[in-house]
Amino acid sequence: MSQVLRFFIPVFLLWTNLAFAQDLTGVIKDKTGVPLVGSTIVIKGTNVYTIADIDGKFSIPARKDFPFTLRISSVGFNPKEVLISELPSTPLEVILVDDNQLSEVVISSRRREETAQDVPIPISIIGGKLVADAGAFNVNRLKELVPTVQLYSSNPRNTTLNIRGLGSTFGLTNDGIDPGVGFYVDGVYYARPAATTLDFIDIEQIEILRGPQGTLFGKNTTAGAFNISTRAPSFKPGAIFEVSYGNYGYIQAKTSITGPLGKKFAGRLSFSGTQRDGLLYNVRTQKNVNDLNNLGLRGQLQYTPTDKIRILLIGDVSSQKPDGYAQVIAGVAPTLRAPYRQFKQIIADLDYKVPYTSAFERIIDTDSPWRSGNELGGVSLNVDAKIGSGTLTSTTSLRYWNWDPLNDRDFTGLPVLSKSQATSRHTNWTQEIRYAGNFSSSLSGVIGVFGIGQNLVTDPVHIEESGAAQWRFFQSSTSALWKTPGLFDGFGIKTTSTLKSFGGAVFGQLDWAITKKLHILPGIRYNYDEKDVDYTRVTYGGLQTTDPALLALKNGVYSNQAFKANVNEKNFSGQLTLAYKASKRFNAFATYSTSYKPVGVNLGGLPTASGRVLTELASIKPEYVTHYEIGVKTSPTENSTLNIVFHNTDIQDYQTQVQTAEVGVNRGYLANAEQVRVRGVELDGNVSFSKHFSIYGAVAYTDGKYISFKNAPVPLEETGGTSAFKDISGGDLPGISKWAGSLGAELTAGGKLLTQEGKFFLAVDGYYRSSFSSSPSPSKYLNIDGYTLLNGRIGFRATNGLSIFVWARNLFDVDYFEQLLPAAGNAGHYAGVLGDPRTYGVTLRYSF
């Protein structure tokens, strides 16, 4: 913290001593003289901006170093640039003309307002309108619009959010490592991957930055970042009411209300609720499972004591309480174990039959209930103070996560793993202070400090418990002792663990304009990370006996474990970007960067070898990332964009979650692969043929390989061989499709609905991905075939008033898997996370 103070005190003194510039005022109108409410006025090349009020009027701090350029934009109009050579004596009057060209997208990822085409970063932008109309109400649906994003979730805790196949471990989650993809909502870092499964609330825009971004964001991001902006409070009263109805009992309601609460206060209150019947049917309980039961509430209070200071207090709470996240047996792989240890022989001996022949019959018969109670929430305070030619920002947050699950990890109707219940409680605080702006006419940038403290505890314990049929699945000899009545019935483990961590960083990035066309952007970051883990696991239940032979059988399934670890790491990383903007329509850039993911600790139990607990795996090495990319952003015409980027990422000591046949660590454990590499090419673009027809799309080729992983666990089908480990160097990384792409189009026509002006529209979105591995160690069986999805909507849209449209997702009712998972113990069967079948419905929206 002393390093934080040493940085912050000089910045604070600078803040208190700098004189504020005078304000520049004006009004924005169209050619008929109508005020253009909500127009954006930006001092070009800075993060200083303002929004025109209900009368089209604006006030913005003027720079002291004349001349400078104002950039004014409004949806549906051509943007305009105005050169300011001196402070005018009367308010400016700016007239915008109708826009028949492609609208420019303004982003804030570099802590200033810029157009996406001007930023030398590969970035995808999804507007709030498309998020709402396309039904992309969470990240899992959003990924169908952005092919470089991957999300895998067997439940909210076990969620992986990746960009270009990198970021988090594939499959089951280990809480002892940090995500490599930053997830920010209104500037606040969300530490838990479970946040990505929640419904979006009142989205304004989503910016997805690809590649390391540690010199721009507080929390280090080795693979990229989601920068999500919600609709801010407004001094102009307004509201949006929306309700959707669909098949499978789908109901979703959304509300957002905003307006003034005084001369200097404004507020916004937003709500979202989603319900849907389950998509699987449990023939044992005769009820549907895998339903949706989501609620979210977000409140914002904005205080603007002056034109130069904005204070925003935000509170949010979201809850998911589905009867679900059940998985279906998708197949059986023959292992190298003896014939009596193969899955089909095991269930035959137990007189059991899987009640379906295809996972896409969407039925199950699991005997343990499925529960996934997921609650997240928090409060944040953001202060923006305009100082000189920049903004000093302080963002403070407190957040929590409560996780209350219950799973059937054997995926059958047999009492094998009767309980798998890892209840957890997580709290964290974050503090970020940064200054972003112009330091001179040719030098701009951002500099900041960041701190995060986290506390994760079991609540009160994690439970894994065997049922009466457990003995047969883990029978490793023909000894009659395995059949001892009650030996494993109720036998399990209770785990108590705590993880306390602290991370601190100083970061910054400059933009040096050597000429108007040539820019150099150096960046640097210093990290300090510390983690303290205390892990204790004790056995309980089963047959109480002192017989050494019976105890040995029990210990072969579950055993006591205890370890403590305290690790810390320091690291410098950085980047260098060269950007050349040859013209308004051509922007090329090349970036070299290094990045770092902190040291990890194992919180899911440790594997054993010859009866010895491998305590050396209690902690794993940090990742070291070397990344470069070369890209070109172009605007071939006034109404089109076309961008291409080549990227290459090499990671030393790649942190991966691997599976083992030991049921005591059925959620896997962390390990380091010596080296992996991901490289690829990405192409995206859009074109507006007229005001009424536009097309947008993206395609990505991504190749991810283990360059060296010489001691990886064997895949499912090689369980029972002469070795539990193998060299998988040269194998494919899991979760990466070589090819992925999206393509969308919208056709509109002006018209009236019930005397109301608006637009009739027809829109379609397609998404394709090729086959990919669903196993950390490449397997012949755990591979998912490629698939194509088509979504569409048709209706009437009004800026204010009534909008109505019908929609359908997965129009061709394609059967596809999102993930494949081996069952605990590696008996040979594996389960699948099923993609949704065809869904359809109608949405009504009213706004003013």
Side-chain angles (χ1 to χ4, degrees):
M1 294 301 292
S2 62
Q3 293 170 331
V4 172
L5 292 174
R6 282 198 294 270
F7 166 73
F8 176 64
I9 289 173
V11 173
F12 179 76
L13 293 175
L14 176 66
W15 181 11
T16 57
N17 284 285
L18 280 174
F20 290 105
Q22 290 181 277
D23 283 352
L24 173 65
T25 61
V27 62
I28 313 299
K29 300 178 180 179
D30 68 10
K31 61 185 179 181
T32 66
V34 175
L36 295 180
V37 182
S39 298
T40 301
I41 302 93
V42 182
I43 296 180
K44 192 175 180 181
T46 76
N47 68 339
V48 180
Y49 73 99
T50 190
I51 304 297
D53 64 15
I54 192 171
D55 298 315
K57 295 180 179 179
F58 70 90
S59 176
I60 190 169
R63 286 178 53 175
K64 293 181 178 180
D65 50 337
F66 294 96
F68 60 88
T69 301
L70 284 184
R71 181 179 179 81
I72 302 99
S73 60
S74 184
V75 176
F77 295 84
N78 285 317
K80 188 172 186 178
E81 293 187 356
V82 178
L83 180 67
I84 307 296
S85 300
E86 60 182 15
L87 192 67
S89 57
T90 59
L92 287 175
E93 183 173 297
V94 180
I95 306 299
L96 298 184
V97 297
D98 290 344
D99 180 10
N100 288 319
Q101 67 186 53
L102 193 67
S103 298
E104 292 184 319
V105 179
V106 177
I107 64 171
S108 60
S109 295
R110 291 208 304 168
R111 312 310 185 185
R112 69 189 72 186
E113 298 295 312
E114 305 171 283
T115 61
Q117 288 296 100
D118 289 338
V119 177
I121 298 174
I123 185 168
S124 302
I125 301 99
I126 307 296
K129 181 178 75 69
L130 181 57
V131 169
D133 289 356
F137 59 81
N138 57 31
V139 178
N140 195 40
R141 293 190 171 199
L142 184 76
K143 73 175 190 286
E144 295 173 12
L145 300 173
V146 187
T148 51
V149 171
Q150 300 88 33
L151 185 132
Y152 305 99
S153 182
S154 56
N155 63 38
R157 182 198 199 106
N158 294 312
T159 296
T160 297
L161 175 62
N162 285 348
I163 295 176
R164 297 170 170 167
L166 299 173
S168 297
T169 57
F170 182 86
L172 301 178
T173 300
N174 195 301
D175 296 315
I177 63 169
D178 292 35
V181 174
F183 194 80
Y184 291 85
V185 179
D186 290 332
V188 175
Y189 175 69
Y190 282 29
R192 300 306 312 174
T196 63
T197 68
L198 297 172
D199 289 4
F200 293 136
I201 302 176
D202 218 5
I203 295 298
E204 177 70 27
Q205 183 167 279
I206 299 174
E207 303 166 13
I208 303 167
L209 291 79
R210 309 192 291 275
Q213 304 297 332
T215 61
L216 286 176
F217 288 83
K219 188 69 174 73
N220 203 16
T221 55
T222 59
F226 274 65
N227 186 36
I228 299 174
S229 303
T230 67
R231 293 188 181 95
S234 172
F235 286 94
K236 176 186 176 183
I240 301 174
F241 303 96
E242 178 179 306
V243 62
S244 299
Y245 300 93
N247 60 335
Y248 298 103
Y250 177 83
I251 302 175
Q252 185 177 71
K254 297 180 180 180
T255 301
S256 180
I257 303 173
T258 188
L261 301 174
K263 290 186 177 180
K264 297 184 178 181
F265 287 90
R268 181 179 288 273
L269 186 64
S270 308
F271 165 83
S272 175
T274 307
Q275 290 189 338
R276 189 202 63 199
D277 296 338
L279 300 180
L280 302 182
Y281 183 72
N282 191 321
V283 295
R284 177 184 294 270
T285 62
Q286 297 186 359
K287 61 181 294 189
N288 288 345
V289 297
N290 286 15
D291 58 7
L292 295 178
N293 186 8
N294 305 340
L295 291 174
L297 182 67
R298 185 176 185 84
Q300 303 180 66
L301 178 64
Q302 178 178 300
Y303 174 49
T304 52
T306 72
D307 291 339
K308 300 177 178 66
I309 297 176
R310 175 177 176 264
I311 301 172
L312 185 61
L313 178 67
I314 302 176
D316 70 277
V317 59
S318 293
S319 172
Q320 290 178 315
K321 294 185 178 178
D323 181 4
Y325 286 96
Q327 289 105 53
V328 184
I329 293 178
V332 178
T335 70
L336 299 181
R337 288 171 169 168
Y340 74 90
R341 299 191 67 188
Q342 302 295 322
F343 176 74
K344 292 181 179 180
Q345 185 60 54
I346 292 171
I347 62 173
D349 291 348
L350 295 172
D351 197 26
Y352 170 77
K353 184 178 180 181
V354 178
Y356 48 88
T357 57
S358 168
F360 295 104
E361 295 177 39
R362 299 183 185 271
I363 61 175
I364 61 173
D365 69 337
T366 48
D367 55 324
S368 295
W370 294 82
R371 183 175 71 238
S372 296
N374 184 35
E375 295 182 356
L376 291 98
V379 61
S380 66
L381 181 68
N382 190 88
V383 181
D384 287 320
K386 296 177 181 178
I387 301 175
S389 298
T391 300
L392 182 66
T393 299
S394 171
T395 303
T396 307
S397 76
L398 296 172
R399 298 200 61 78
Y400 72 89
W401 172 59
N402 297 332
W403 174 238
D404 182 22
L406 185 59
N407 304 295
D408 191 328
R409 285 282 290 125
D410 59 75
F411 310 125
T412 73
L414 293 168
V416 184
L417 273 175
S418 297
K419 287 185 180 179
S420 181
Q421 190 173 16
T423 51
S424 299
R425 299 291 180 266
H426 176 268
T427 56
N428 75 271
W429 61 264
T430 64
Q431 175 65 59
E432 181 172 346
I433 301 170
R434 68 176 182 271
Y435 181 81
N438 291 325
F439 305 120
S440 72
S441 59
S442 61
L443 190 66
S444 62
V446 58
I447 185 171
V449 294
F450 176 81
I452 180 171
Q454 302 184 69
N455 187 30
L456 176 67
V457 298
T458 53
D459 185 41
V461 293
H462 291 181
I463 296 175
E464 299 280 346
E465 184 175 297
S466 300
Q470 178 75 286
W471 71 271
R472 186 61 187 85
F473 277 77
F474 291 93
Q475 182 183 0
S476 58
S477 71
T478 55
S479 170
L481 292 177
W482 286 97
K483 299 180 181 180
T484 303
L487 181 61
F488 296 103
D489 198 0
F491 178 54
I493 49 176
K494 293 182 179 180
T495 300
T496 303
S497 68
T498 61
L499 172 63
K500 295 181 179 180
S501 65
F502 169 77
V506 180
F507 61 96
Q509 185 180 111
L510 297 176
D511 186 336
W512 177 26
I514 299 175
T515 69
K516 288 185 178 181
K517 295 182 177 181
L518 182 64
H519 288 232
I520 291 181
L521 296 88
I524 194 168
R525 180 183 183 90
Y526 171 78
N527 282 297
Y528 173 79
D529 294 280
E530 182 175 356
K531 295 181 179 180
D532 192 348
V533 63
D534 188 344
Y535 180 94
T536 302
R537 187 179 85 186
V538 296
T539 59
Y540 71 94
L543 179 67
Q544 301 303 301
T545 179
T546 58
D547 186 327
L550 294 179
L551 289 175
L553 295 182
K554 292 178 69 176
N555 288 334
V557 177
Y558 293 125
S559 61
N560 296 333
Q561 282 190 15
F563 61 88
K564 296 182 179 180
N566 180 273
V567 292
N568 62 78
E569 194 78 26
K570 301 174 184 178
N571 173 264
F572 277 100
S573 57
Q575 73 155 59
L576 182 65
T577 296
L578 183 67
Y580 182 72
K581 191 168 185 179
S583 68
K584 181 181 177 181
R585 296 186 180 181
F586 186 92
N587 185 15
F589 61 92
T591 296
Y592 175 84
S593 63
T594 61
S595 191
Y596 153 90
K597 187 192 285 189
V599 61
V601 291
N602 264 303
L603 279 181
L606 298 175
T608 61
S610 302
R612 183 181 72 85
V613 178
L614 300 178
T615 54
E616 62 270 24
L617 294 177
S619 63
I620 61 169
K621 300 174 185 177
E623 285 185 359
Y624 294 97
V625 179
T626 303
H627 172 84
Y628 64 85
E629 60 192 14
I630 301 171
V632 176
K633 294 186 175 184
T634 70
S635 299
T637 66
E638 290 291 338
N639 58 357
S640 64
T641 65
L642 184 64
N643 308 320
I644 187 169
V645 63
F646 167 80
H647 62 90
N648 185 97
T649 303
D650 288 283
I651 302 179
Q652 303 291 329
D653 296 320
Y654 174 73
Q655 296 172 350
T656 182
Q657 180 87 344
V658 294
Q659 296 299 121
T660 174
E662 294 183 46
V663 69
V665 283
N666 79 71
R667 298 180 66 247
Y669 66 93
L670 292 171
N672 288 114
E674 295 87 5
Q675 184 180 359
V676 304
R677 176 179 297 154
V678 175
R679 57 175 46 158
V681 180
E682 299 157 354
L683 182 72
D684 67 81
N686 50 57
V687 57
S688 178
F689 293 99
S690 68
K691 294 180 67 174
H692 304 293
F693 182 55
S694 60
I695 294 177
Y696 49 89
V699 63
Y701 172 81
T702 312
D703 181 41
K705 298 286 187 185
Y706 290 106
I707 301 302
S708 177
F709 194 4
K710 297 178 180 179
N711 197 36
V714 297
L716 175 61
E717 66 270 20
E718 295 180 32
T719 302
T722 56
S723 175
F725 301 93
K726 69 176 296 187
D727 184 349
I728 61 171
S729 301
D732 290 338
L733 287 175
I736 300 178
S737 293
K738 282 256 190 322
W739 290 98
S742 62
L743 182 65
E746 182 173 275
L747 178 66
T748 65
K752 289 185 178 181
L753 180 66
L754 302 176
T755 72
Q756 180 179 262
E757 296 281 351
K759 291 183 178 181
F760 292 94
F761 72 94
L762 169 66
V764 292
D765 298 296
Y767 172 70
Y768 165 77
R769 68 177 305 181
S770 60
S771 62
F772 61 95
S773 167
S774 188
S775 173
S777 294
S779 166
K780 297 178 182 178
Y781 296 89
L782 300 181
N783 297 302
I784 294 179
D785 294 334
Y787 56 88
T788 301
L789 304 177
L790 185 66
N791 310 317
R793 51 203 176 274
I794 184 172
F796 177 83
R797 182 191 301 127
T799 303
N800 288 303
L802 180 67
S803 299
I804 181 171
F805 56 94
V806 295
W807 48 265
R809 298 183 59 83
N810 191 4
L811 269 165
F812 296 124
D813 202 20
V814 175
D815 289 334
Y816 66 99
F817 292 108
E818 292 194 341
Q819 195 174 355
L820 296 174
L821 303 163
N826 287 14
H829 63 305
Y830 54 92
V833 178
L834 305 184
D836 287 353
R838 178 171 51 229
T839 56
Y840 51 85
V842 60
T843 294
L844 294 91
R845 182 186 302 142
Y846 184 80
S847 61
F848 65 86

